[in-house]
Amino acid sequence: MALLTPEDLDSLSSKFEDSESIIERVTGSKLTDICKDIYGKDLGSEKVGIIPITAGNGIISNFSSSLLFIIQRLGLEGFITQHTDVAGYHEAISEGADILLMADDHLFIAHNLKDEKVVTNHEATGTIYSEIASRFKDADSSEILVIGLGRVGYAGAKHLAEKGFNVYACDPNRSFLEKAAHELGIKEYCKEDRKKFSMVFEATPNANTINEGMIAERCLVSTPGIPCGLPEEVGKKFRVDLVMEPLFIGVTSMIYAVI
Ligand code: 2YH
């Protein structure tokens, strides 16, 4: 997954509100209700400590404040540590955090200190975006297309296969496809089959991964990918419903998964 930029996190609140209303319209459920269903639990009064991490490319200026905004929108108490890295970790524990959130360039985790559970952003993101795609009210079959079988795509494909969907997938990396076919029983998407999907879960860091041959009119594309894999003109021509947002949806899923 690409590293977020401060621009990706601009106007997070309005991006989230747009996505919330699309999710509700296309699935009939609110994001938090979908999370309650998937993980079988509801939020309590957990206190969340957010630790800025300087490793690698360093601090993203509005990353921690965006996480705090999300935590507060979920109705939980949150705080950003004054210190970064190990000193921040120590501070978060001293301040009584139940859950820690921290990310470097490779991994973004939520750690529940009460029961030692750790959830990664890529697993929680794959799970929630694939679940949203699979709940499309106007789907014409149980066939669903997964584009990209990296960490996020694989997690979503696994979730869908476990739910009993008929999962097709594509990825330029043949070993990823073979692994998913072997471990999850998913089928390779071949354009020669001329299949068109009404449910699409896209999880790549590339643009233009979705083409007219793959999608049905008025389909749902659910994607955490930045940039968006759906070309704007294809989205308009096929009147596609698009669920895409840079942080809120994945972090909401992480918090429900880790409590
Ligand atoms: O955006 C990222 C990576 N893409 C995480 C990959 C997880 N799927 N990391 C954010 C880095 C934040 C920075 N270290 C900070 O401000 O604390």
Side-chain angles (χ1 to χ4, degrees), residues 1-5 8-9 50-65 67 84-85 101-109 120-123 125 151-152 246-247 254:
M1 175 175 277
L3 199 63
L4 288 168
T5 65
D8 293 332
L9 301 176
I50 299 157
I51 306 160
I53 300 292
T54 63
N57 285 301
I59 305 280
I60 297 173
S61 60
N62 47 1
F63 184 72
S64 292
S65 57
L67 294 181
T84 63
D85 308 304
L101 285 181
M102 54 190 152
D104 65 12
D105 299 347
H106 304 287
L107 206 60
F108 174 14
I109 62 168
T120 64
N121 177 261
H122 55 269
E123 284 169 324
T125 299
R151 294 189 304 181
V152 177
L247 200 62
M254 281 175 93

Side-chain angles (χ1 to χ4, degrees), residues 205-234:
N206 305 317
N208 305 324
T209 54
I210 301 176
N211 61 56
E212 296 191 12
M214 295 169 162
I215 56 172
E217 287 253 353
R218 312 205 83 147
C219 67
L220 171 63
V221 172
S222 177
T223 177
I226 300 174
C228 181
L230 179 70
E232 209 177 318
E233 65 282 5
V234 177

